[in-house]
Amino acid sequence: MQASAKELVRSALEHGFSAAETELDPRSPASRNIAVVLLDLFEPLLVLNSRNKIIGGGAEAFSLSDDGLHWTIKLKRDRYWSDGVPVTAGDYVYSLSTAYSMSEDGSTFSYTIVGKGDHQTGPVGIHALDDHTLQVDIKVPFSLPKQVFSFAFFSPLPRHVAPADGSIAWSKWPQKVSNGPYRLTAFEGNMVELALNPHYADHPPGAFESVRYVSQSWNEAAQDLLEGRLGVVVGIPNHQLDFFVDGGARHVFEDSQTYIFLTLNTLKEGLSDIRVRRALSLALNRPELVEWLTQNQADPATFLLPEAPPDFMPIPYEDALNEAQALMRQAGYDENRRLKLRVSGQDADINERLVTILTEYWSRIHVDVETDFSITNAATWFQSIDQGEFEVGLMTRTPALQSPLGFLSYCLNLNADVGDPYCGYFYDPEFNDIILSLRSLQSNTTAIAHELKAARRLDDATPIIILLRYRNPIGLGSDICVAADNLRNVFPVSSNFTPRDAVKSVACLPE
């Protein structure tokens, strides 16, 4: 069926799913692979608008106590479940307080809530002060930034139809009532079908009446889109874009950016030396790397910020290489004593091509590269990172929060005196203090100064090496511009999908 103003059929390329193996529940880590579906079904406390700015979803006002330990959240009074029952603070308390039964900590950020991640068995730290006021208690001052409330995890669940066993996933409840723009009508095989929630308050004019998500391979999705059976394909491989465009498909680039970077295990011999880490970064010719790897469908990147600092002055590659070679000599490496590094990752297709390029660059500074792409399962790969079983890890990250703070918080560590392995075990108490203070700042000018200071500390330590930023292609069916103004609903409140205005400005131009 072709895409139309009444129905949109879209691929779920980014993560496969099946009704037999996948849970739909905002509390469940198992649901994160299809978060886009959750954000059609459930409205968190905050959402992203069509210009990718965070605005109120289920909440209308937030206030943080002076000591940074308590969020008080006022809820909107025009929010209803898809069966017409009002949404209350008690529904948020039910969802958040039962999240521990879905997993040990429920969410990446839930460890900051009092009682979460402590193996406690009660709704500690989450309170309904009245039907429209919610309070969330925090363990560490200022450690739960407001932006995080846009995650699906901070959605309510309809306690008035909840089963007695709070650990049962929502998609297995007898009554599947939701509070988002859509309600679930079918979840069978590799397909999810949704229909408009008639009680949702913020539908734009002419919203899609139904949406179907189909889990399929890239080849199947490309063929279905080009032949008119599919309306939207998200997650087109960048190296396949030319094929896609040659086939006559429209495309846009999503506003969020995917970073490819290297995580350096700073506890390992050689990599514990900051001179070596700096040399590994300086030896990379990023513009050339981007051209070889992506045919210029990405941007070279150096900093863990959306933009480089205003005073950043790149030096010619020849000068950078000379500096890298000098640093390696100072660290004791030369032609007679070469450094051996093992690079590992999970996505063998792009990683093997990337490591071929890295091997060439690093050979210029007396580094020999071994590869390990034996792990094909994402969960096993991330477990190996958690356990420190890596030297150089090839990582891909699409930031969840559209702000510099979201990028920098990637390296924040609050729970130990050694850093997180995902950031190469980087640990810097002053860096942590800067990030935590950022979360309490109201002045944008002051925040920018703090962000820059944190970014510089991270760059100086070089626990990670940023390589490039993708702008991920999204394919649109030939008649999708009929409903382009409504794509805000099918690229819902998630930074991983194109805002409506970006789609409108590109996809709906006259031929």
Side-chain angles (χ1 to χ4, degrees):
M1 178 179 292
Q2 287 193 322
S4 71
K6 292 188 177 297
E7 179 180 43
L8 184 96
V9 185
R10 56 164 294 175
S11 174
L13 267 182
E14 58 272 28
H15 295 287
F17 63 83
S18 70
E21 300 176 357
T22 304
E23 296 175 343
L24 284 175
D25 192 305
R27 303 168 296 177
S28 172
S31 296
R32 294 176 198 159
N33 284 350
I34 50 173
V36 60
V37 180
L38 286 180
L39 291 165
D40 269 345
L41 289 167
F42 294 97
E43 181 181 61
L45 291 162
L46 293 172
V47 299
L48 298 181
N49 68 8
S50 62
R51 296 184 180 277
N52 226 20
K53 301 298 184 183
I54 293 177
I55 61 171
E60 64 180 9
F62 290 76
S63 62
L64 184 62
S65 60
D66 290 343
D67 60 8
L69 290 173
H70 308 282
W71 276 110
T72 302
I73 304 165
K74 290 290 185 180
L75 304 180
K76 294 179 180 177
R77 295 175 179 267
D78 62 351
R79 273 10 193 196
Y80 294 87
W81 294 104
S82 54
D83 62 358
V85 174
V87 176
T88 68
D91 295 320
Y92 288 92
V93 171
Y94 174 80
S95 178
L96 295 170
S97 64
T98 57
Y100 68 86
S101 63
M102 306 293 291
S103 70
E104 286 188 1
D105 64 355
S107 166
T108 303
F109 290 95
S110 66
Y111 72 87
T112 61
I113 298 174
V114 170
K116 293 297 176 188
D118 293 338
H119 307 285
Q120 298 187 25
T121 55
V124 179
I126 303 158
H127 319 280
L129 303 184
D130 57 46
D131 280 351
H132 297 97
T133 309
L134 184 68
Q135 180 176 303
V136 179
D137 301 331
I138 310 166
K139 294 179 185 177
V140 179
F142 306 108
S143 63
L144 192 65
K146 180 179 175 181
Q147 298 98 315
V148 170
F149 291 115
S150 64
F151 278 59
F153 178 79
F154 290 99
S155 300
L157 281 173
R159 57 179 176 151
H160 64 286
V161 296
D165 183 355
S167 66
I168 296 175
W170 175 85
S171 54
K172 294 181 171 63
W173 290 14
Q175 298 184 60
K176 299 172 184 61
V177 177
S178 59
N179 76 318
Y182 288 87
R183 56 187 177 85
L184 183 67
T185 55
F187 187 20
E188 301 172 349
N190 68 338
M191 184 182 300
V192 177
E193 294 187 353
L194 311 177
L196 276 180
N197 173 4
H199 297 285
Y200 185 69
D202 293 337
H203 286 304
F208 288 108
E209 293 181 10
S210 62
V211 177
R212 273 194 291 141
Y213 290 88
V214 182
S215 177
Q216 55 189 168
S217 69
W218 154 247
N219 289 335
E220 292 171 327
Q223 183 175 350
D224 283 354
L225 188 82
L226 295 175
E227 295 179 2
R229 292 187 294 274
L230 199 62
V232 177
V233 174
V234 175
I236 299 171
N238 276 263
H239 61 279
Q240 294 279 9
L241 184 59
D242 288 342
F243 159 80
F244 192 78
V245 173
D246 290 344
R250 302 169 184 268
H251 72 281
V252 294
F253 288 95
E254 63 176 317
D255 195 48
S256 65
Q257 298 171 334
T258 297
Y259 281 76
I260 293 181
F261 61 95
L262 305 172
T263 296
L264 309 181
N265 189 336
T266 61
L267 303 183
K268 297 289 186 180
E269 183 179 358
L271 294 175
S272 61
D273 191 326
I274 191 172
R275 295 170 297 185
V276 171
R277 301 197 301 270
R278 292 290 296 164
L280 292 173
S281 180
L282 286 165
L284 301 177
N285 186 336
R286 287 172 176 81
E288 187 176 71
L289 183 151
V290 166
E291 181 180 0
W292 287 351
L293 186 67
T294 74
Q295 292 76 53
N296 289 318
Q297 291 169 10
D299 300 318
T302 303
F303 293 92
L304 198 64
L305 281 177
E307 297 180 2
D311 59 347
F312 172 68
M313 295 292 291
I315 60 176
Y317 177 65
E318 184 176 347
D319 294 343
L321 181 59
N322 288 336
E323 183 179 345
Q325 292 169 339
L327 287 169
M328 291 298 286
R329 287 193 297 270
Q330 293 171 21
Y333 296 98
D334 54 28
E335 190 58 45
N336 298 317
R337 182 179 180 241
R338 300 178 67 86
L339 175 64
K340 291 181 170 57
L341 292 177
R342 185 180 74 254
V343 179
S344 54
Q346 188 250 327
D347 183 354
D349 178 39
I350 188 171
N351 285 348
E352 287 180 352
R353 291 183 288 123
L354 178 53
V355 170
T356 299
I357 301 170
L358 294 179
T359 300
E360 166 62 24
Y361 289 139
W362 286 350
S363 68
R364 302 170 186 175
I365 58 171
H366 314 302
V367 175
D368 296 326
V369 175
E370 299 175 355
T371 61
D372 179 8
F373 298 126
S374 59
I375 299 175
T376 58
N377 178 274
T380 305
W381 158 239
F382 285 114
Q383 184 179 36
S384 73
I385 291 288
D386 281 332
Q387 295 172 352
E389 298 172 0
F390 74 102
E391 292 181 0
V392 179
L394 257 172
M395 307 288 284
T396 301
R397 176 173 171 80
T398 301
L401 302 177
Q402 291 298 288
S403 69
L405 177 59
F407 293 83
L408 292 165
S409 291
Y410 185 72
C411 291
L412 175 67
N413 188 277
L414 298 172
N415 296 330
D417 57 1
V418 63
D420 194 297
Y422 289 85
C423 202
Y425 292 104
F426 167 74
Y427 179 75
D428 180 349
E430 184 172 339
F431 175 87
N432 288 348
D433 290 343
I434 295 169
I435 299 301
L436 292 177
S437 66
L438 264 169
R439 294 175 172 178
S440 63
L441 292 176
Q442 301 299 318
S443 165
N444 188 52
T445 301
T446 304
I448 291 173
H450 276 62
E451 289 161 1
L452 184 57
K453 183 178 180 182
R456 288 198 183 283
R457 291 193 71 86
L458 196 61
D459 184 55
D460 288 344
T462 322
I464 60 177
I465 298 176
I466 310 297
L467 301 176
L468 58 89
R469 285 192 298 265
Y470 277 120
R471 288 191 177 273
N472 302 320
I474 294 173
L476 305 176
S478 58
D479 59 354
I480 196 64
C481 67
V482 171
D485 280 347
N486 307 324
L487 282 177
R488 175 65 182 83
N489 291 321
V490 287
F491 301 155
V493 286
S494 165
S495 64
N496 295 331
F497 300 92
T498 305
R500 177 180 62 189
D501 290 353
V503 176
K504 179 178 179 181
S505 65
V506 178
C508 285
L509 294 176
E511 296 291 347

